[in-house]
Amino acid sequence: MRIGVFDSGIGGLTVLKELRKYHKDQEYIYFGDTKNLPYGTKSKEELFEVVCKVIDFLISKDVKIIFIACGTVSSTIYQELCNKYSVPIVSIIDATIAELKRQEIKDVAILATPATINSHVFKKKLADVNVLEISCSKFVPIIENKIDSKFKKLYVEQYLKDVKKERIKHVVLGCTHYPLLETDIKAYLGEVNCYNMGTILAYSTYLKPAKEGLEVYFSHNYEGLNEKANTILEEKINILEQEI
């Protein structure tokens, strides 16, 4: 089955990696919209416009299901996308919320983009849980090299100081870019459980085995992108640049 996976950039590759780990026998089409990142600071109207172009491209590649490898899109315009398209679309957030409920977590910190935090999707759906919401607007630009990485430690400490102060031991990486900062997050917070939404989505999803394949597209192939993608996926891939 041809499966579409998309994100604003390289973050969604962390989801693709997990999907391919648990469901190797599938044909994946990945699209990273690096030309329009970050998604987390866009209005719902702006986001809907650019995301529809991405989905239209994936549909043109004959995908049969689409996984939103983006917390921002899943938390803000998921229902609107489902209403517009007939192809099945899967949210990255729903599986994580179900897993937190299954584990009966009582205290959790949600690290996410401004758009996801402003939607309060985790707080609304985890009514019996103490949810600390933290907007981490600089993380995606750091990961995508829009901000010098020398500021990474500064922003990690700035954003996570309340998590450390309140001694919260469960942390949701509510943007698919954030697993790329997991080592830095744990270095600052110490012993915490970090929830990778891509991992949860992958192991909680059933996909009937099919033929294997992979195509990776980005709307802007900037310098160093190929190397980053190879590092995340732990294999050498060929990146295709695609305007939308």
Side-chain angles (χ1 to χ4, degrees):
M1 179 168 63
R2 297 200 111 193
I3 298 172
V5 184
F6 77 89
D7 180 42
S8 63
I10 63 172
L13 293 176
T14 65
V15 180
L16 177 65
K17 177 182 177 180
E18 295 302 308
L19 284 169
R20 295 180 73 218
K21 182 190 300 181
Y22 286 88
H23 310 283
K24 185 70 173 177
D25 296 331
Q26 300 294 335
E27 191 173 3
Y28 294 97
I29 311 294
Y30 181 83
F31 192 92
D33 192 13
T34 39
K35 183 178 179 180
N36 292 300
L37 71 82
Y39 277 2
T41 56
K42 284 179 167 48
S43 68
K44 287 184 67 172
E45 293 74 21
E46 291 173 325
L47 192 59
F48 187 74
E49 181 179 354
V50 298
V51 167
C52 284
K53 292 178 182 178
V54 174
I55 292 180
D56 289 342
F57 170 73
L58 292 174
I59 291 174
S60 77
K61 301 296 288 185
D62 198 31
V63 301
K64 302 305 181 186
I65 188 171
I66 295 174
F67 287 92
I68 303 174
C70 175
T72 296
V73 175
S74 295
S75 65
T76 57
I77 58 171
Y78 174 62
Q79 194 55 57
E80 289 89 339
L81 294 174
C82 290
N83 293 341
K84 177 178 174 66
Y85 294 99
S86 58
V87 62
I89 299 176
V90 180
S91 160
I92 188 75
I93 287 177
D94 289 346
T96 299
I97 288 173
E99 179 66 13
L100 293 174
K101 289 180 177 179
R102 187 189 70 78
Q103 293 190 23
E104 299 182 342
I105 299 299
K106 297 303 180 185
D107 297 275
V108 64
I110 309 297
L111 313 183
T113 65
T116 297
I117 294 302
N118 291 337
S119 76
H120 305 296
V121 61
F122 285 94
K123 185 167 283 190
K124 289 174 182 175
K125 294 188 177 184
L126 296 169
D128 299 325
V129 179
N130 175 36
V131 178
L132 176 62
E133 301 174 312
I134 301 176
S135 175
C136 307
S137 62
K138 303 298 184 183
F139 279 178
V140 170
I142 286 174
I143 292 166
E144 296 279 357
N145 281 349
K146 301 297 183 182
I147 294 179
D148 196 311
S149 61
K150 70 181 180 182
F151 294 108
K152 181 169 58 176
K153 185 173 184 289
L154 171 68
Y155 284 119
V156 167
E157 294 178 357
Q158 176 183 316
Y159 290 141
L160 304 185
K161 63 181 184 297
D162 287 341
V163 181
K164 193 167 190 175
K165 179 180 178 182
E166 297 189 25
R167 299 181 180 179
I168 295 174
K169 297 303 180 184
H170 300 282
V171 177
V172 171
L173 305 176
C175 168
T176 56
H177 279 75
Y178 295 0
L180 300 173
L181 292 177
E182 184 172 348
T183 299
D184 303 275
I185 290 168
K186 286 184 173 180
Y188 177 66
L189 293 179
E191 293 295 323
V192 295
N193 297 315
C194 285
Y195 292 85
N196 181 331
M197 297 194 298
T199 305
I200 296 171
L201 176 69
Y203 71 61
S204 64
T205 299
Y206 172 75
L207 295 171
K208 185 178 179 179
K211 74 172 184 176
E212 183 180 336
L214 175 64
E215 294 177 25
V216 177
Y217 297 86
F218 284 89
S219 54
H220 172 56
N221 190 353
Y222 59 79
E223 184 179 355
L225 178 60
N226 213 122
E227 183 179 352
K228 284 186 175 185
N230 291 343
T231 300
I232 294 169
L233 295 176
E234 298 180 340
E235 64 179 282
K236 190 173 182 179
I237 63 168
N238 180 38
I239 285 179
L240 302 169
E241 190 165 4
Q242 176 67 44
E243 286 282 346
I244 56 169

mmCIF file with all atom_site columns, all heavy atoms in Angstrom, residues 64-78:
data_model
loop_
_atom_site.group_PDB
_atom_site.id
_atom_site.type_symbol
_atom_site.label_atom_id
_atom_site.label_alt_id
_atom_site.label_comp_id
_atom_site.label_asym_id
_atom_site.label_entity_id
_atom_site.label_seq_id
_atom_site.pdbx_PDB_ins_code
_atom_site.Cartn_x
_atom_site.Cartn_y
_atom_site.Cartn_z
_atom_site.occupancy
_atom_site.B_iso_or_equiv
_atom_site.pdbx_formal_charge
_atom_site.auth_seq_id
_atom_site.auth_comp_id
_atom_site.auth_asym_id
_atom_site.auth_atom_id
_atom_site.pdbx_PDB_model_num
ATOM 1   N N   . LYS A 1 64 ? -2.820 5.739  -0.465 1.00 0.00 ? 64 LYS A N   1
ATOM 2   C CA  . LYS A 1 64 ? -4.109 5.215  -0.028 1.00 0.00 ? 64 LYS A CA  1
ATOM 3   C C   . LYS A 1 64 ? -4.454 5.622  1.399  1.00 0.00 ? 64 LYS A C   1
ATOM 4   O O   . LYS A 1 64 ? -5.591 5.467  1.847  1.00 0.00 ? 64 LYS A O   1
ATOM 5   C CB  . LYS A 1 64 ? -4.121 3.687  -0.128 1.00 0.00 ? 64 LYS A CB  1
ATOM 6   C CG  . LYS A 1 64 ? -3.830 3.165  -1.535 1.00 0.00 ? 64 LYS A CG  1
ATOM 7   C CD  . LYS A 1 64 ? -4.791 3.761  -2.577 1.00 0.00 ? 64 LYS A CD  1
ATOM 8   C CE  . LYS A 1 64 ? -4.508 3.212  -3.967 1.00 0.00 ? 64 LYS A CE  1
ATOM 9   N NZ  . LYS A 1 64 ? -5.332 3.881  -5.003 1.00 0.00 ? 64 LYS A NZ  1
ATOM 10  N N   . ILE A 1 65 ? -3.472 6.143  2.114  1.00 0.00 ? 65 ILE A N   1
ATOM 11  C CA  . ILE A 1 65 ? -3.669 6.658  3.471  1.00 0.00 ? 65 ILE A CA  1
ATOM 12  C C   . ILE A 1 65 ? -2.580 7.683  3.729  1.00 0.00 ? 65 ILE A C   1
ATOM 13  O O   . ILE A 1 65 ? -1.476 7.574  3.175  1.00 0.00 ? 65 ILE A O   1
ATOM 14  C CB  . ILE A 1 65 ? -3.621 5.519  4.517  1.00 0.00 ? 65 ILE A CB  1
ATOM 15  C CG1 . ILE A 1 65 ? -4.016 6.039  5.914  1.00 0.00 ? 65 ILE A CG1 1
ATOM 16  C CG2 . ILE A 1 65 ? -2.253 4.860  4.553  1.00 0.00 ? 65 ILE A CG2 1
ATOM 17  C CD1 . ILE A 1 65 ? -4.197 4.933  6.943  1.00 0.00 ? 65 ILE A CD1 1
ATOM 18  N N   . ILE A 1 66 ? -2.883 8.699  4.548  1.00 0.00 ? 66 ILE A N   1
ATOM 19  C CA  . ILE A 1 66 ? -1.915 9.764  4.847  1.00 0.00 ? 66 ILE A CA  1
ATOM 20  C C   . ILE A 1 66 ? -1.744 9.895  6.355  1.00 0.00 ? 66 ILE A C   1
ATOM 21  O O   . ILE A 1 66 ? -2.729 10.032 7.091  1.00 0.00 ? 66 ILE A O   1
ATOM 22  C CB  . ILE A 1 66 ? -2.361 11.113 4.254  1.00 0.00 ? 66 ILE A CB  1
ATOM 23  C CG1 . ILE A 1 66 ? -2.374 11.039 2.718  1.00 0.00 ? 66 ILE A CG1 1
ATOM 24  C CG2 . ILE A 1 66 ? -1.442 12.244 4.720  1.00 0.00 ? 66 ILE A CG2 1
ATOM 25  C CD1 . ILE A 1 66 ? -2.939 12.283 2.050  1.00 0.00 ? 66 ILE A CD1 1
ATOM 26  N N   . PHE A 1 67 ? -0.500 9.841  6.800  1.00 0.00 ? 67 PHE A N   1
ATOM 27  C CA  . PHE A 1 67 ? -0.174 10.066 8.201  1.00 0.00 ? 67 PHE A CA  1
ATOM 28  C C   . PHE A 1 67 ? 0.354  11.491 8.353  1.00 0.00 ? 67 PHE A C   1
ATOM 29  O O   . PHE A 1 67 ? 1.323  11.872 7.685  1.00 0.00 ? 67 PHE A O   1
ATOM 30  C CB  . PHE A 1 67 ? 0.891  9.079  8.683  1.00 0.00 ? 67 PHE A CB  1
ATOM 31  C CG  . PHE A 1 67 ? 0.379  7.685  8.870  1.00 0.00 ? 67 PHE A CG  1
ATOM 32  C CD1 . PHE A 1 67 ? 0.455  6.763  7.825  1.00 0.00 ? 67 PHE A CD1 1
ATOM 33  C CD2 . PHE A 1 67 ? -0.188 7.285  10.067 1.00 0.00 ? 67 PHE A CD2 1
ATOM 34  C CE1 . PHE A 1 67 ? -0.014 5.476  7.977  1.00 0.00 ? 67 PHE A CE1 1
ATOM 35  C CE2 . PHE A 1 67 ? -0.663 5.995  10.239 1.00 0.00 ? 67 PHE A CE2 1
ATOM 36  C CZ  . PHE A 1 67 ? -0.584 5.085  9.186  1.00 0.00 ? 67 PHE A CZ  1
ATOM 37  N N   . ILE A 1 68 ? -0.298 12.261 9.216  1.00 0.00 ? 68 ILE A N   1
ATOM 38  C CA  . ILE A 1 68 ? 0.167  13.624 9.509  1.00 0.00 ? 68 ILE A CA  1
ATOM 39  C C   . ILE A 1 68 ? 1.301  13.521 10.522 1.00 0.00 ? 68 ILE A C   1
ATOM 40  O O   . ILE A 1 68 ? 1.067  13.292 11.713 1.00 0.00 ? 68 ILE A O   1
ATOM 41  C CB  . ILE A 1 68 ? -0.949 14.502 10.081 1.00 0.00 ? 68 ILE A CB  1
ATOM 42  C CG1 . ILE A 1 68 ? -2.152 14.553 9.133  1.00 0.00 ? 68 ILE A CG1 1
ATOM 43  C CG2 . ILE A 1 68 ? -0.430 15.912 10.359 1.00 0.00 ? 68 ILE A CG2 1
ATOM 44  C CD1 . ILE A 1 68 ? -3.345 15.298 9.714  1.00 0.00 ? 68 ILE A CD1 1
ATOM 45  N N   . ALA A 1 69 ? 2.533  13.666 10.069 1.00 0.00 ? 69 ALA A N   1
ATOM 46  C CA  . ALA A 1 69 ? 3.697  13.585 10.955 1.00 0.00 ? 69 ALA A CA  1
ATOM 47  C C   . ALA A 1 69 ? 4.027  14.963 11.515 1.00 0.00 ? 69 ALA A C   1
ATOM 48  O O   . ALA A 1 69 ? 5.184  15.391 11.540 1.00 0.00 ? 69 ALA A O   1
ATOM 49  C CB  . ALA A 1 69 ? 4.886  13.011 10.200 1.00 0.00 ? 69 ALA A CB  1
ATOM 50  N N   . CYS A 1 70 ? 3.002  15.658 11.977 1.00 0.00 ? 70 CYS A N   1
ATOM 51  C CA  . CYS A 1 70 ? 3.134  17.046 12.429 1.00 0.00 ? 70 CYS A CA  1
ATOM 52  C C   . CYS A 1 70 ? 2.116  17.319 13.526 1.00 0.00 ? 70 CYS A C   1
ATOM 53  O O   . CYS A 1 70 ? 0.906  17.208 13.298 1.00 0.00 ? 70 CYS A O   1
ATOM 54  C CB  . CYS A 1 70 ? 2.912  17.989 11.253 1.00 0.00 ? 70 CYS A CB  1
ATOM 55  S SG  . CYS A 1 70 ? 2.914  19.747 11.696 1.00 0.00 ? 70 CYS A SG  1
ATOM 56  N N   . GLY A 1 71 ? 2.604  17.676 14.707 1.00 0.00 ? 71 GLY A N   1
ATOM 57  C CA  . GLY A 1 71 ? 1.701  17.980 15.814 1.00 0.00 ? 71 GLY A CA  1
ATOM 58  C C   . GLY A 1 71 ? 0.857  19.204 15.562 1.00 0.00 ? 71 GLY A C   1
ATOM 59  O O   . GLY A 1 71 ? -0.322 19.256 15.935 1.00 0.00 ? 71 GLY A O   1
ATOM 60  N N   . THR A 1 72 ? 1.436  20.208 14.906 1.00 0.00 ? 72 THR A N   1
ATOM 61  C CA  . THR A 1 72 ? 0.703  21.447 14.636 1.00 0.00 ? 72 THR A CA  1
ATOM 62  C C   . THR A 1 72 ? -0.513 21.190 13.756 1.00 0.00 ? 72 THR A C   1
ATOM 63  O O   . THR A 1 72 ? -1.626 21.626 14.061 1.00 0.00 ? 72 THR A O   1
ATOM 64  C CB  . THR A 1 72 ? 1.624  22.480 13.964 1.00 0.00 ? 72 THR A CB  1
ATOM 65  O OG1 . THR A 1 72 ? 2.670  22.841 14.864 1.00 0.00 ? 72 THR A OG1 1
ATOM 66  C CG2 . THR A 1 72 ? 0.850  23.728 13.569 1.00 0.00 ? 72 THR A CG2 1
ATOM 67  N N   . VAL A 1 73 ? -0.310 20.481 12.654 1.00 0.00 ? 73 VAL A N   1
ATOM 68  C CA  . VAL A 1 73 ? -1.423 20.192 11.740 1.00 0.00 ? 73 VAL A CA  1
ATOM 69  C C   . VAL A 1 73 ? -2.457 19.318 12.432 1.00 0.00 ? 73 VAL A C   1
ATOM 70  O O   . VAL A 1 73 ? -3.665 19.560 12.316 1.00 0.00 ? 73 VAL A O   1
ATOM 71  C CB  . VAL A 1 73 ? -0.901 19.512 10.457 1.00 0.00 ? 73 VAL A CB  1
ATOM 72  C CG1 . VAL A 1 73 ? -2.061 19.102 9.554  1.00 0.00 ? 73 VAL A CG1 1
ATOM 73  C CG2 . VAL A 1 73 ? 0.037  20.449 9.707  1.00 0.00 ? 73 VAL A CG2 1
ATOM 74  N N   . SER A 1 74 ? -1.999 18.319 13.170 1.00 0.00 ? 74 SER A N   1
ATOM 75  C CA  . SER A 1 74 ? -2.923 17.410 13.855 1.00 0.00 ? 74 SER A CA  1
ATOM 76  C C   . SER A 1 74 ? -3.773 18.127 14.892 1.00 0.00 ? 74 SER A C   1
ATOM 77  O O   . SER A 1 74 ? -4.936 17.763 15.115 1.00 0.00 ? 74 SER A O   1
ATOM 78  C CB  . SER A 1 74 ? -2.136 16.279 14.529 1.00 0.00 ? 74 SER A CB  1
ATOM 79  O OG  . SER A 1 74 ? -1.493 15.460 13.570 1.00 0.00 ? 74 SER A OG  1
ATOM 80  N N   . SER A 1 75 ? -3.208 19.145 15.527 1.00 0.00 ? 75 SER A N   1
ATOM 81  C CA  . SER A 1 75 ? -3.911 19.818 16.625 1.00 0.00 ? 75 SER A CA  1
ATOM 82  C C   . SER A 1 75 ? -4.797 20.976 16.172 1.00 0.00 ? 75 SER A C   1
ATOM 83  O O   . SER A 1 75 ? -5.646 21.440 16.935 1.00 0.00 ? 75 SER A O   1
ATOM 84  C CB  . SER A 1 75 ? -2.904 20.341 17.652 1.00 0.00 ? 75 SER A CB  1
ATOM 85  O OG  . SER A 1 75 ? -2.082 21.355 17.084 1.00 0.00 ? 75 SER A OG  1
ATOM 86  N N   . THR A 1 76 ? -4.609 21.447 14.939 1.00 0.00 ? 76 THR A N   1
ATOM 87  C CA  . THR A 1 76 ? -5.327 22.668 14.530 1.00 0.00 ? 76 THR A CA  1
ATOM 88  C C   . THR A 1 76 ? -6.305 22.483 13.378 1.00 0.00 ? 76 THR A C   1
ATOM 89  O O   . THR A 1 76 ? -7.407 23.042 13.405 1.00 0.00 ? 76 THR A O   1
ATOM 90  C CB  . THR A 1 76 ? -4.323 23.776 14.139 1.00 0.00 ? 76 THR A CB  1
ATOM 91  O OG1 . THR A 1 76 ? -3.461 23.286 13.099 1.00 0.00 ? 76 THR A OG1 1
ATOM 92  C CG2 . THR A 1 76 ? -3.480 24.201 15.338 1.00 0.00 ? 76 THR A CG2 1
ATOM 93  N N   . ILE A 1 77 ? -5.926 21.714 12.351 1.00 0.00 ? 77 ILE A N   1
ATOM 94  C CA  . ILE A 1 77 ? -6.796 21.646 11.170 1.00 0.00 ? 77 ILE A CA  1
ATOM 95  C C   . ILE A 1 77 ? -7.107 20.207 10.758 1.00 0.00 ? 77 ILE A C   1
ATOM 96  O O   . ILE A 1 77 ? -7.538 19.946 9.633  1.00 0.00 ? 77 ILE A O   1
ATOM 97  C CB  . ILE A 1 77 ? -6.175 22.397 9.958  1.00 0.00 ? 77 ILE A CB  1
ATOM 98  C CG1 . ILE A 1 77 ? -4.795 21.826 9.610  1.00 0.00 ? 77 ILE A CG1 1
ATOM 99  C CG2 . ILE A 1 77 ? -6.086 23.886 10.248 1.00 0.00 ? 77 ILE A CG2 1
ATOM 100 C CD1 . ILE A 1 77 ? -4.229 22.376 8.287  1.00 0.00 ? 77 ILE A CD1 1
ATOM 101 N N   . TYR A 1 78 ? -6.923 19.272 11.665 1.00 0.00 ? 78 TYR A N   1
ATOM 102 C CA  . TYR A 1 78 ? -7.135 17.862 11.335 1.00 0.00 ? 78 TYR A CA  1
ATOM 103 C C   . TYR A 1 78 ? -8.560 17.598 10.846 1.00 0.00 ? 78 TYR A C   1
ATOM 104 O O   . TYR A 1 78 ? -8.761 16.959 9.807  1.00 0.00 ? 78 TYR A O   1
ATOM 105 C CB  . TYR A 1 78 ? -6.824 16.990 12.551 1.00 0.00 ? 78 TYR A CB  1
ATOM 106 C CG  . TYR A 1 78 ? -7.151 15.534 12.356 1.00 0.00 ? 78 TYR A CG  1
ATOM 107 C CD1 . TYR A 1 78 ? -6.512 14.778 11.381 1.00 0.00 ? 78 TYR A CD1 1
ATOM 108 C CD2 . TYR A 1 78 ? -8.113 14.901 13.147 1.00 0.00 ? 78 TYR A CD2 1
ATOM 109 C CE1 . TYR A 1 78 ? -6.801 13.437 11.196 1.00 0.00 ? 78 TYR A CE1 1
ATOM 110 C CE2 . TYR A 1 78 ? -8.415 13.564 12.966 1.00 0.00 ? 78 TYR A CE2 1
ATOM 111 C CZ  . TYR A 1 78 ? -7.753 12.841 11.995 1.00 0.00 ? 78 TYR A CZ  1
ATOM 112 O OH  . TYR A 1 78 ? -8.064 11.512 11.814 1.00 0.00 ? 78 TYR A OH  1
#
